[in-house]
Amino acid sequence: MGWMNRTARRVKRGRRVAAADRNVDVAVTAHLTQFAQTHRGVEAFIEPKTSVTNVTLLLVAYDGEWTRRVVPSPEWGHAFAAHLQIPGYDAAVVGYPQRMRDYNTRNKKHPDLR
């Protein structure tokens, strides 16, 4: 019976995690929505959880400007992108767009001007 108890506890824990996945800070949702609606050519890149960071959603505009926020799960990120009718990609599979790296290079502060 010990196995049954351990399994039941895991299932219950899983349900709590699944319920928590549905909860996301309103400010995060508002920020991501506002970015997607005020920029052209926005694409979503869902970044997997690592040992250092949680799951994040990266939005990149056509000119390379970007924003990143922590989201509850990859599924939530894909559903959010679908809701906004923007393409959603797994960043671990497709990588990051070159325009984002170009944007970062253009906007990098010169070290001598600090």
Side-chain angles (χ1 to χ4, degrees), residues 79-111:
F80 185 79
H83 173 74
L84 293 178
Q85 298 180 337
I86 60 175
Y89 307 105
D90 287 321
V93 175
V94 300
Y96 299 104
Q98 183 63 45
R99 67 183 184 274
M100 179 182 159
R101 291 189 289 274
D102 294 342
Y103 178 84
N104 288 341
T105 302
R106 281 192 313 268
N107 293 307
K108 194 176 204 177
K109 298 210 186 291
H110 194 277

Side-chain angles (χ1 to χ4, degrees), residues 3 22 43-44 65 79:
W3 178 84
R22 286 184 236 121
E43 294 176 319
E65 186 176 352

